[in-house]
Amino acid sequence: VPLIARWPGQIAPGSVSDHISAHWDMLPTFCELAGAEVPDATDGISIVPTLLGKDDQKTHPYLYWEFYEGGGKRAVRMGDWKVVQLNLNKSQASPPLVFNLADDPGESRDLAAEQQEVLARARAAFEDAHTPSAVWTWKAKIR
């Protein structure tokens, strides 16, 4: 989804960026703007350089989400690639879906069979990004 920012005298009117960020980037952004220290326990990256039109914006290697409601699902975004796994509360072998958002923003064509390297990177990101919780667990064991 788009983010709209207005800061007269700082953000150039009409400027646009294709920088990929997430809501967890807002805390580091607001800390930087306020001159406050960013807490260590955050996955966020300040987007102040993007807001100011600078070229030194740090990027995430990937963005990861997981949702335990609605059957259980998780997703990872890596550049133009998005990999989604659905129905994780029902089956540990739920097949991941792979989409190229640059070519298919509506996510209508699953490329998992053709994009094994992307799928392998996504599986590694799923493993790396997941933090076990005593409160939130998948009903089915995820492999």
Side-chain angles (χ1 to χ4, degrees), residues 45-127:
I45 297 172
S46 171
I47 64 166
V48 169
T50 293
L51 294 174
L52 300 179
K54 296 183 179 176
D55 293 331
D56 59 345
Q57 176 65 59
K58 293 180 184 175
T59 60
H60 293 278
Y62 60 80
L63 295 174
Y64 173 78
W65 302 266
E66 57 186 47
F67 302 96
Y68 293 88
E69 69 281 351
K73 49 195 153 249
R74 62 184 174 178
V76 65
R77 169 86 189 252
M78 305 172 299
D80 289 337
W81 296 103
K82 181 177 177 186
V83 179
V84 180
Q85 199 171 15
L86 305 171
N87 300 313
L88 292 171
N89 285 329
K90 296 178 183 174
S91 171
Q92 64 180 351
S94 175
L97 308 169
V98 177
F99 304 103
N100 183 310
L101 298 177
D103 298 334
D104 179 20
E107 301 176 22
S108 61
R109 184 166 177 247
D110 175 20
L111 302 173
E114 308 164 25
Q115 296 294 333
Q116 292 299 304
E117 186 272 331
V118 171
L119 193 52
R121 285 185 14 229
R123 288 181 196 267
F126 285 159
E127 191 67 31

Side-chain angles (χ1 to χ4, degrees), residues 5-71:
R6 182 176 185 272
W7 187 6
Q10 298 295 323
I11 298 174
S15 60
V16 296
S17 169
D18 61 1
H19 175 71
I20 299 169
S21 63
H23 70 275
W24 49 87
D25 292 330
M26 294 301 99
L27 176 64
T29 300
F30 297 147
C31 285
E32 182 175 343
L33 292 173
E37 192 162 324
V38 178
D40 289 334
T42 181
D43 293 329
I45 297 172
S46 171
I47 64 166
V48 169
T50 293
L51 294 174
L52 300 179
K54 296 183 179 176
D55 293 331
D56 59 345
Q57 176 65 59
K58 293 180 184 175
T59 60
H60 293 278
Y62 60 80
L63 295 174
Y64 173 78
W65 302 266
E66 57 186 47
F67 302 96
Y68 293 88
E69 69 281 351

